[in-house]
Amino acid sequence: MIINNDSLIIDGISMAKYITKAKFGYHKIWGKDTGRALSGDNSGTLKGIYPKITMTFRKLNEEEVNIVLGIFNKAENKVTFYNPDLKKTIYNMSCYSNDQEMDQEHIGKIEGYSSAVISNKKREHYL
Amino acid sequence: MKNVEDIFKEDIRTYGRQLDYKIKVNDELVNTDDFNYIKPSFNANLFKTIMHAVKIDSKYKLNNKDKINIEAGLKVNELAYNYINYNSYYVHTCEREEDTSSYTILAYDKMIESMIDYDLDSYGKIKLRDYLIKICERLSWNTENIPAVFVNSEKLVDNFLHTGIGYTFRDALDEIATLSCSALLFINDGFYLKYPEETNQNIDESYLSEDSIHIGEKYFINSLVFARAEESDNIFRKDNDSIQKNGLSEYRIEDNQLLSTNDRDLYIDEMFNYLKTFEFYTFDVKTKGILFLEAYDKFNFVLDEKTYSTILLNDEISFEDGLTEDIYVDLPKETETDYKYSDETDKKINQAYILVDKQNRKIELLTSEINNSNEKISKFEQDINFISTKVENIADVTQEIAGIKKITIPDAVEGELLELHIDGNNTVFKHTYVSKQTLVSENTKLQGDSLIKVYTRNICPTKVTEWENGYFAGKTGEKWDSLEYIRNKEKIKIEPGKKVTFSLNNEEYLWSYVYLYDFANRYIGGIQATNNQEEITITIPEKASYINVMIKKNEAQQISPNEIIDIKPQIEYGERKTDFIQCNTQLIDLGIKNVLRQKEEIRDTYDLVGADAILTRRINKDNEILLEPEIEVLQRPSIFLVTGENFIEIKNYTANLSCKYAKQNEFTDIYATKVEMNSKIEQTAQQIRIEVNKKVDEEQMTSAISQTAKEINLEVSKKVGDDEIISKINQSAEEIQIDANKISLVGKEINLTGDNMIIKSNNFNVNKNGDATVNNINIKSGKIQLQDGTEQNANFEIISTKNNKKTIITPGSIYPSEGIFINKLNGTGQSAYLYMSESGNAGIQLNGNNSYIRMLTEDSDVSGNASIRCGGYMYAKDFLNISSEKIKKNIKKLDIEILDLIKNADIYSYNLKTETDLDKKHIGFVIGERYQTPKEVLDKNEEAVDLYSMCSILWKAVQELSEKIEKLEGKGE
């Protein structure tokens, strides 16, 4: 689900000028008890469904790379965006980001680099 | 089972189930994001309390006793979670985990409140349910969920058994749970007494993890054992059929204080009846979460189309990164009692048990045998400080017997009947009233009939005698002596070995023969009596079964045919027991003058108890019940029982009666109603005490030895009423004290070896020098010897402390302070007095007209050599020489010329050397070589002059002179 780039703000920085697109979805986290029951059926606890935004960046220069990495090199990001599922803007959603992995060849021209932020709270939290 | 909807049971097994939690701390919701895991659990033993626990890892630091409430929510597709509640938990510990920067919290439900020292007062015996309620009230727990009735709920228990033994309330609750075969636990904060609850819930494979499923063997109970110590003192109930079919499966209850009493068999049946229906499969299963099952829920595992019914005893839930729930029930500890040391009951009467009280470190062993009249107990008690051994025999030698009209008293001890009770019934002792038509003379006295008859049988020395008539059979003209006496009766049945005596009451007749017959009535011989023998005694020989007799008349005479002669031989069979012979019969009037009445259940009564005989009237003659009973004291009759069997019978009426009497027993030699004997040994680290007691009715005797490190005390006492006699010996390192009314030392030699020993008493004292002071000495025979020291020291002194007069007796001498009076005891005036002055003068004074000094020899009073010597003067009215020929021999006339003898003797005047020259001169002979004193007048020792000889010589001299004078006169004529 494509979201409006202009609506995506992370830690007070509008991400529109750095990204080519942003996708919105949900991330499911399962408990350790997940597996097959004695009956053969799957069984397990869905610990939660968490909002997730995946961003694809344009070519960034070195200064812009520093800015972007500076955003994600933190434990928590506050993300404001328009939630197309709930059809409302979510402000300052507490998120964590995935590991930032950038190839050397991308330096100076970071095209195709993507990153995601995942809500620390379950979807229900934002209902 | 927790109340959940079916959707919950569906969701819990659904892939993608979601969980949520609500946690309150002290009733305030807290952020569950700060909790890393929550692990509720319980672990239960059969028939005990159950305490729920929860272990939490949290960023919150909680304080001790903080209250935690947990709700776990579940949903899959629903919008909202379905929550289930857990008990309130109370923080017990909260420990910091440094590696996770969190706190591990351990909390328990309200059951933890019971883990305080038991402090209830003793209520005595109360019902088990009431006791449970008392504890709940003490702990401020709600009791509304305690069932009105449960196993043993109505049985009485003594809560004192839980006091002072270091119990907590939970220990007490555990024992109540055991006795009721239940679990005591909290469910949703409510206190419950819960029995296994059938939920009919099936747990199939969809609940279970695939990697750890174990269904074990089936547990059941076909034997219940109450045990108080290993292999001893057990009681049990068994289902032998089940044991034979399925093997023994025993549930053993050990060391339950409520079962430490000797009435524990009161509880066992109700428990066993419940437990033998109780069964479940053991299991150990990991599940993906069930959550809705609770402790003591019965449910089924359905696996491979097979159903295993079981119960939930252990549950460990983990809310951590999902949900797991491990549930299991282990096989209870297997026990096997050695039933040969057990019994089905403690038998309140006879028992042997060992009580081991581990909490209080006490051991009690007891064997007892109790019956209606005897109570024998041997008991051993031990605690950490004390050992006591006691053997007791209490014999209540009285027995009560009841009957109607007549009672049989077996095995009586000879003596007075102790009690007699007669109940009124409107007929007993009703007098025979004289009809109006009966004419009664003035002298006729109506005697009240309240007679009882007391008698015995069997043991009375019965001489069975009978008089009989017989006749002499013969023809007319025959003489008596040829006839046979014919008994009117059959021949006498006899027993071999018995003695039978025949006596005649008529001197005109003589015994002749005793005929003997065998069992077939065949004549086997006879015994002839001598003439004039009035009595024949024969010992019945073997084979003889019958006897007959023949009697002759003194003088033969003719008789008429078949004439019956009035002759009655008395035949005495000797002593033998005759069952229906009453003897020792006493006919006793109780003195009751009117009928004993009855109205419904109210009765007049006659009660003879001890020394009293009391008539209690409760109904008047109009058949009305008296407001207050009227008591009449009657004269107590003597009702004497003989040894053995006795009978008491109301002579002429029928009524209920009962009595109490002294029964023969091992103390029969003592006539008493109650004999108590016991001996005990008590030992502590400080003391040992041995005691033997005997109490016979009011007489009590005790002997005791107590020993400590410092002393040994012996005491023997005897007490009758207020009178008590005690003798004691107390021994310490310093002294031995003997205190008794009488002390006897019996031995061939008694040595008192102490140095400078002193003997003290009011009337007999010996000081350290051996000086004795004693009021009187009575020496029946023998002698008094003074052997100590030299002759001078061997003094025997008689001293009067009143006037300081004394007499010293030494070997060979008597030294009186003045003189010695000799008086006849109780004499009147006559006495002898041996006196001496300080200057050495002494004298003998004999008072009385007929006093004399007499020195005797064996043969005669004058033939010996006895003599009296005197250095002074001897004064007397007369000096007499005994001159009888009886004492003389060699007698012949003196034929010497006396006058020459006289003429040749010189007479002197002189003073004794003890006299002064101025004293009056004596005249007489002087014996000595230089003096002319004829030897004929001297004594044989030539020391004295024999005045009788001298006088006789003078007599002879006068004869000679007379002769000469006569001659001279003749010449002159």
Side-chain angles (χ1 to χ4, degrees):
Chain A
M1 186 183 297
I2 302 299
I3 62 171
N4 184 355
N5 290 352
D6 296 334
S7 69
L8 180 61
I9 299 169
I10 300 176
D11 293 340
I13 299 171
S14 173
M15 301 304 291
K17 55 188 173 186
Y18 302 115
I19 59 175
T20 55
K21 63 179 178 183
K23 293 190 292 186
F24 176 76
Y26 288 103
H27 177 65
K28 294 177 182 174
I29 296 178
W30 294 90
K32 286 182 182 175
D33 56 356
T34 302
R36 298 285 177 181
L38 184 63
S39 60
D41 296 337
N42 258 333
S43 174
T45 301
L46 178 60
K47 294 182 72 175
I49 300 172
Y50 299 87
K52 178 181 179 182
I53 299 169
T54 306
M55 296 163 286
T56 302
F57 290 86
R58 65 173 171 79
K59 287 183 179 177
L60 300 175
N61 59 30
E62 193 167 343
E63 183 182 353
E64 290 170 330
V65 167
N66 288 336
I67 292 169
V68 170
L69 291 180
I71 292 171
F72 296 116
N73 287 341
K74 289 186 287 190
E76 183 189 31
N77 298 110
K78 298 291 188 183
V79 178
T80 301
F81 70 106
Y82 179 79
N83 186 328
D85 175 30
L86 301 180
K87 296 181 174 54
K88 65 179 182 181
T89 299
I90 305 297
Y91 296 95
N92 294 324
M93 180 176 72
S94 173
C95 295
Y96 64 93
S97 59
N98 64 342
D99 296 341
Q100 302 301 309
E101 294 175 347
M102 191 186 307
D103 291 341
Q104 190 63 32
E105 61 188 76
H106 292 151
I107 297 295
K109 46 172 182 175
I110 310 174
E111 189 176 7
Y113 168 69
S114 66
S115 183
V117 288
I118 303 165
S119 171
N120 286 320
K121 295 289 184 182
K122 295 177 186 177
R123 176 179 175 274
E124 303 90 299
H125 182 74
Y126 304 104
L127 293 176
Chain B
M1 187 168 72
K2 291 181 187 297
N3 185 19
V4 296
E5 297 176 2
D6 288 343
I7 190 68
F8 186 97
K9 296 175 183 175
E10 283 296 320
D11 287 349
I12 196 76
R13 292 175 287 169
T14 301
Y15 180 72
R17 67 190 179 189
Q18 295 180 57
L19 298 169
D20 188 47
Y21 312 99
K22 291 178 182 176
I23 300 175
K24 288 181 181 176
V25 175
N26 296 329
D27 299 323
E28 294 288 334
L29 271 173
V30 296
N31 187 354
T32 54
D33 290 347
D34 294 326
F35 289 80
N36 298 319
Y37 64 72
I38 302 169
K39 296 180 177 177
S41 66
F42 59 80
N43 298 101
N45 290 319
L46 276 177
F47 315 126
K48 299 285 184 184
T49 57
I50 299 173
M51 186 162 71
H52 294 83
V54 65
K55 188 176 180 183
I56 297 171
D57 188 83
S58 166
K59 291 177 182 175
Y60 285 101
K61 180 184 179 184
L62 300 182
N63 297 315
N64 194 22
K65 296 188 179 176
D66 276 350
K67 180 182 174 185
I68 302 173
N69 291 97
I70 298 170
E71 292 180 52
L74 174 70
K75 73 169 186 177
V76 177
N77 295 317
E78 303 81 22
L79 292 176
Y81 289 93
N82 293 313
Y83 289 94
I84 57 173
N85 295 322
Y86 289 87
N87 283 334
S88 296
Y89 297 98
Y90 298 86
V91 174
H92 183 60
T93 60
C94 180
E95 295 178 350
R96 171 80 176 172
E97 303 291 341
E98 293 297 338
D99 55 341
T100 58
S101 298
S102 62
Y103 294 90
T104 298
I105 298 161
L106 193 59
Y108 299 103
D109 69 8
K110 282 173 72 71
M111 188 59 72
I112 198 172
E113 294 175 358
S114 68
M115 296 176 72
I116 58 174
D117 288 344
Y118 182 91
D119 60 4
L120 282 183
D121 294 331
S122 175
Y123 301 109
K125 291 269 189 180
I126 58 173
K127 292 178 181 176
L128 187 65
R129 184 177 187 277
D130 294 338
Y131 182 34
L132 178 58
I133 289 172
K134 291 281 186 189
I135 293 177
C136 290
E137 288 172 347
R138 164 63 182 82
L139 298 172
S140 302
W141 292 353
N142 198 317
T143 59
E144 63 187 15
N145 299 312
I146 297 174
V149 177
F150 51 84
V151 172
N152 282 329
S153 61
E154 296 296 303
K155 298 288 168 43
L156 297 177
V157 294
D158 188 350
N159 78 308
F160 182 71
L161 296 166
H162 286 151
T163 59
I165 57 172
Y167 259 32
T168 65
F169 280 102
R170 190 172 180 198
D171 293 323
L173 290 170
D174 276 341
E175 295 193 349
I176 293 173
T178 301
L179 235 61
S180 58
C181 299
S182 69
L184 298 176
L185 73 168
F186 281 90
I187 301 172
N188 294 327
D189 290 341
F191 179 74
Y192 282 81
L193 183 148
K194 184 176 180 180
Y195 285 94
E197 180 179 302
E198 183 56 71
T199 65
N200 294 316
Q201 177 65 45
N202 289 336
I203 301 297
D204 59 20
E205 289 95 335
S206 62
Y207 286 96
L208 310 181
S209 298
E210 61 182 344
D211 54 348
S212 183
I213 306 296
H214 174 75
I215 304 295
E217 58 187 283
K218 191 176 188 178
Y219 178 73
F220 56 93
I221 295 171
N222 55 25
S223 171
L224 173 62
V225 176
F226 290 173
R228 288 197 277 227
E230 291 296 328
E231 299 302 338
S232 64
D233 195 28
N234 302 326
I235 66 169
F236 64 88
R237 291 290 184 274
K238 290 194 298 184
D239 182 345
N240 289 325
D241 291 341
S242 173
I243 292 172
Q244 191 170 11
K245 185 177 176 183
N246 305 308
L248 175 69
S249 181
E250 176 182 286
Y251 181 63
R252 182 182 172 96
I253 301 172
E254 294 180 342
D255 298 332
N256 186 313
Q257 296 301 316
L258 294 178
L259 298 178
S260 63
T261 58
N262 293 327
D263 54 2
R264 53 186 175 159
D265 51 336
L266 296 176
Y267 311 103
I268 196 167
D269 287 317
E270 206 168 332
M271 293 176 68
F272 186 59
N273 288 338
Y274 172 76
L275 293 176
K276 65 187 180 184
T277 66
F278 184 72
E279 60 182 27
F280 58 82
Y281 278 94
T282 60
F283 63 91
D284 186 357
V285 168
K286 291 185 183 303
T287 77
K288 291 188 168 292
I290 300 172
L291 299 187
F292 50 80
L293 288 178
E294 293 180 312
Y296 265 51
D297 279 348
K298 290 176 73 175
F299 64 99
N300 306 311
F301 284 112
V302 180
L303 301 170
D304 294 332
E305 298 181 348
K306 188 172 179 182
T307 300
Y308 303 92
S309 177
T310 189
I311 184 175
L312 185 58
L313 292 181
N314 299 282
D315 190 355
E316 295 172 359
I317 298 170
S318 176
F319 295 113
E320 180 185 18
D321 199 8
L323 166 64
T324 59
E325 183 173 359
D326 297 342
I327 56 177
Y328 60 93
V329 172
D330 293 328
L331 196 63
K333 179 186 171 186
E334 190 172 339
T335 63
E336 186 168 351
T337 295
D338 192 340
Y339 290 95
K340 73 181 179 183
Y341 295 117
S342 308
D343 206 342
E344 292 193 357
T345 173
D346 279 318
K347 285 181 185 162
K348 294 168 197 148
I349 316 178
N350 301 327
Q351 57 180 318
Y353 67 76
I354 301 173
L355 291 180
V356 179
D357 180 349
K358 292 179 180 175
Q359 284 86 357
N360 294 297
R361 297 168 297 286
K362 285 184 179 174
I363 298 173
E364 179 179 318
L365 294 83
L366 181 142
T367 61
S368 70
E369 181 179 298
I370 301 172
N371 55 40
N372 288 337
S373 59
N374 266 70
E375 182 176 336
K376 293 182 177 179
I377 296 173
S378 66
K379 190 175 185 180
F380 173 85
E381 292 177 287
Q382 178 178 4
D383 66 15
I384 202 69
N385 296 314
F386 178 77
I387 295 174
S388 169
T389 307
K390 186 173 183 181
V391 180
E392 191 172 75
N393 187 350
I394 300 174
D396 180 356
V397 298
T398 62
Q399 174 103 357
E400 293 182 15
I401 302 277
I404 301 172
K405 185 174 175 65
K406 174 181 171 183
I407 48 181
T408 303
I409 301 174
D411 303 325
V413 177
E414 184 177 281
E416 279 287 332
L417 184 72
L418 300 173
E419 292 183 16
L420 174 67
H421 307 275
I422 300 174
D423 293 337
N425 58 5
N426 296 324
T427 60
V428 63
F429 305 137
K430 189 172 187 176
H431 298 124
T432 303
Y433 292 102
V434 179
S435 72
K436 292 179 180 177
Q437 286 74 31
T438 304
L439 294 176
V440 179
S441 75
E442 290 181 354
N443 296 326
T444 301
K445 292 182 179 178
L446 294 176
Q447 186 175 5
D449 182 1
S450 57
L451 296 173
I452 62 168
K453 190 164 67 171
V454 182
Y455 58 95
T456 63
R457 64 175 184 182
N458 288 346
I459 47 86
C460 55
T462 309
K463 287 188 177 180
V464 182
T465 62
E466 54 184 86
W467 291 94
E468 62 180 33
N469 289 316
Y471 64 93
F472 291 88
K475 297 175 183 177
T476 303
E478 286 185 307
K479 294 184 178 179
W480 286 107
D481 58 0
S482 61
L483 302 179
E484 183 178 359
Y485 166 73
I486 305 298
R487 302 181 71 236
N488 281 337
K489 299 182 179 179
E490 296 294 324
K491 294 184 178 66
I492 305 167
K493 182 82 169 76
I494 51 176
E495 295 176 39
K498 291 281 186 181
K499 285 189 175 179
V500 177
T501 300
F502 303 91
S503 302
L504 275 177
N505 66 334
N506 192 327
E507 293 180 355
E508 293 183 2
Y509 299 92
L510 294 177
W511 289 107
S512 180
Y513 273 97
V514 174
Y515 299 112
L516 301 171
Y517 301 85
D518 67 6
F519 69 97
N521 230 345
R522 294 174 298 208
Y523 174 73
I524 57 174
I527 299 171
Q528 185 173 20
T530 59
N531 285 345
N532 300 322
Q533 189 174 0
E534 295 180 355
E535 194 172 273
I536 304 173
T537 298
I538 62 168
T539 300
I540 305 302
E542 197 176 357
K543 293 184 180 179
S545 297
Y546 299 94
I547 54 175
N548 208 343
V549 293
M550 178 179 176
I551 302 170
K552 294 193 298 184
K553 200 170 185 301
N554 265 342
E555 295 180 7
Q557 64 180 84
Q558 293 179 343
I559 61 168
S560 302
N562 296 328
E563 178 183 0
I564 295 177
I565 308 300
D566 182 18
I567 180 170
K568 295 178 179 178
Q570 185 180 33
I571 301 173
E572 183 178 306
Y573 297 81
E575 291 185 6
R576 74 174 190 185
K577 292 181 180 178
T578 305
D579 288 344
F580 304 106
I581 294 292
Q582 296 176 7
C583 55
N584 297 319
T585 302
Q586 308 169 63
L587 204 58
I588 298 163
D589 189 349
L590 300 180
I592 301 170
K593 302 299 183 187
N594 211 336
V595 64
L596 297 185
R597 302 184 181 92
Q598 175 187 8
K599 184 174 184 182
E600 298 170 352
E601 297 301 315
I602 307 297
R603 297 169 188 265
D604 294 343
T605 54
Y606 173 82
D607 299 292
L608 183 153
V609 179
D612 301 316
I614 294 173
L615 177 63
T616 305
R617 297 275 180 199
R618 299 181 175 87
I619 302 154
N620 65 17
K621 61 182 180 181
D622 297 324
N623 202 30
E624 295 168 342
I625 296 173
L626 298 170
L627 293 176
E628 292 291 333
E630 294 177 355
I631 306 297
E632 184 181 352
V633 178
L634 304 178
Q635 185 174 3
R636 201 270 196 210
S638 173
I639 303 176
F640 196 81
L641 304 180
V642 300
T643 301
E645 189 180 42
N646 291 256
F647 302 89
I648 295 181
E649 180 179 344
I650 302 173
K651 185 171 182 292
N652 293 316
Y653 304 97
T654 298
N656 292 330
L657 75 163
S658 62
C659 78
K660 186 175 182 180
Y661 69 102
K663 187 182 179 186
Q664 292 177 24
N665 61 82
E666 60 187 285
F667 300 111
T668 296
D669 58 325
I670 308 164
Y671 181 78
T673 57
K674 190 170 187 180
V675 178
E676 297 179 41
M677 300 193 72
N678 69 66
S679 64
K680 60 184 176 182
I681 303 172
E682 295 175 343
Q683 181 177 1
T684 65
Q686 293 80 32
Q687 177 172 302
I688 298 174
R689 181 175 173 83
I690 302 172
E691 189 174 308
V692 180
N693 296 293
K694 180 177 182 179
K695 186 176 181 184
V696 180
D697 288 339
E698 298 305 314
E699 184 179 74
Q700 186 171 353
M701 288 160 280
T702 299
S703 67
I705 303 172
S706 64
Q707 179 179 1
T708 66
K710 290 183 176 178
E711 61 184 10
I712 299 172
N713 295 320
L714 292 86
E715 181 175 316
V716 180
S717 66
K718 182 178 178 181
K719 186 175 184 182
V720 181
D722 295 331
D723 299 327
E724 186 170 18
I725 304 170
I726 299 176
S727 67
K728 295 177 182 175
I729 300 177
N730 300 327
Q731 179 180 0
S732 66
E734 294 79 17
E735 68 172 339
I736 297 175
Q737 183 175 336
I738 302 174
D739 180 1
N741 282 1
K742 292 180 181 177
I743 298 172
S744 300
L745 300 175
V746 180
K748 290 185 177 177
E749 184 174 318
I750 298 171
N751 295 320
L752 303 175
T753 58
D755 293 335
N756 299 327
M757 189 183 72
I758 295 173
I759 299 173
K760 286 184 177 179
S761 77
N762 290 339
N763 299 312
F764 176 68
N765 288 279
V766 177
N767 66 18
K768 65 180 181 180
N769 299 319
D771 301 334
T773 303
V774 57
N775 283 359
N776 298 294
I777 296 176
N778 181 15
I779 301 171
K780 295 176 71 175
S781 63
K783 56 189 176 182
I784 298 174
Q785 287 186 320
L786 304 173
Q787 296 180 334
D788 182 44
T790 63
E791 184 174 312
Q792 285 73 26
N793 290 332
N795 292 342
F796 184 82
E797 295 186 358
I798 300 170
I799 304 174
S800 167
T801 55
K802 189 174 180 181
N803 54 21
N804 209 30
K805 290 181 179 178
K806 67 180 179 181
T807 297
I808 299 173
I809 301 172
T810 67
S813 302
I814 298 175
Y815 300 97
S817 58
E818 292 183 358
I820 299 173
F821 283 94
I822 302 171
N823 281 302
K824 185 178 181 184
L825 188 64
N826 300 324
T828 55
Q830 294 186 352
S831 67
Y833 179 42
L834 176 63
Y835 66 92
M836 57 288 298
S837 66
E838 291 183 357
S839 60
N841 293 326
I844 297 174
Q845 177 179 319
L846 303 176
N847 299 325
N849 292 333
N850 298 315
S851 298
Y852 54 88
I853 295 174
R854 193 174 191 184
M855 283 162 284
L856 302 177
T857 64
E858 290 181 356
D859 300 329
S860 165
D861 55 354
V862 294
S863 62
N865 295 318
S867 59
I868 297 173
R869 287 170 179 264
C870 174
Y873 303 98
M874 295 185 69
Y875 292 90
K877 285 184 177 179
D878 202 354
F879 289 92
L880 302 174
N881 280 84
I882 297 172
S883 192
S884 170
E885 66 175 338
K886 293 178 184 176
I887 62 168
K888 296 179 179 180
K889 62 182 181 180
N890 301 325
I891 300 171
K892 57 182 182 181
K893 274 190 172 182
L894 188 67
D895 56 357
I896 60 174
E897 291 294 330
I898 290 299
L899 289 176
D900 292 340
L901 185 70
I902 292 172
K903 285 190 289 186
N904 293 332
D906 294 331
I907 301 299
Y908 304 92
S909 69
Y910 56 89
N911 282 112
L912 296 175
K913 290 181 179 178
T914 56
E915 298 171 341
T916 65
D917 293 342
L918 298 179
D919 285 340
K920 180 181 180 291
K921 295 292 190 287
H922 301 275
I923 295 172
F925 295 116
V926 177
I927 301 170
E929 292 181 358
R930 294 182 293 120
Y931 303 100
Q932 297 300 318
T933 300
K935 290 184 179 180
E936 286 75 2
V937 298
L938 299 185
D939 72 332
K940 65 179 180 180
N941 295 325
E942 297 184 355
E943 290 180 346
V945 174
D946 183 345
L947 295 180
Y948 181 47
S949 296
M950 194 170 75
C951 183
S952 298
I953 286 171
L954 289 175
W955 193 285
K956 180 76 168 54
V958 171
Q959 286 178 338
E960 287 179 9
L961 288 175
S962 295
E963 192 174 336
K964 284 184 176 183
I965 291 170
E966 287 174 357
K967 282 179 179 178
L968 290 176
E969 287 175 351
K971 286 176 180 178
E973 292 176 355

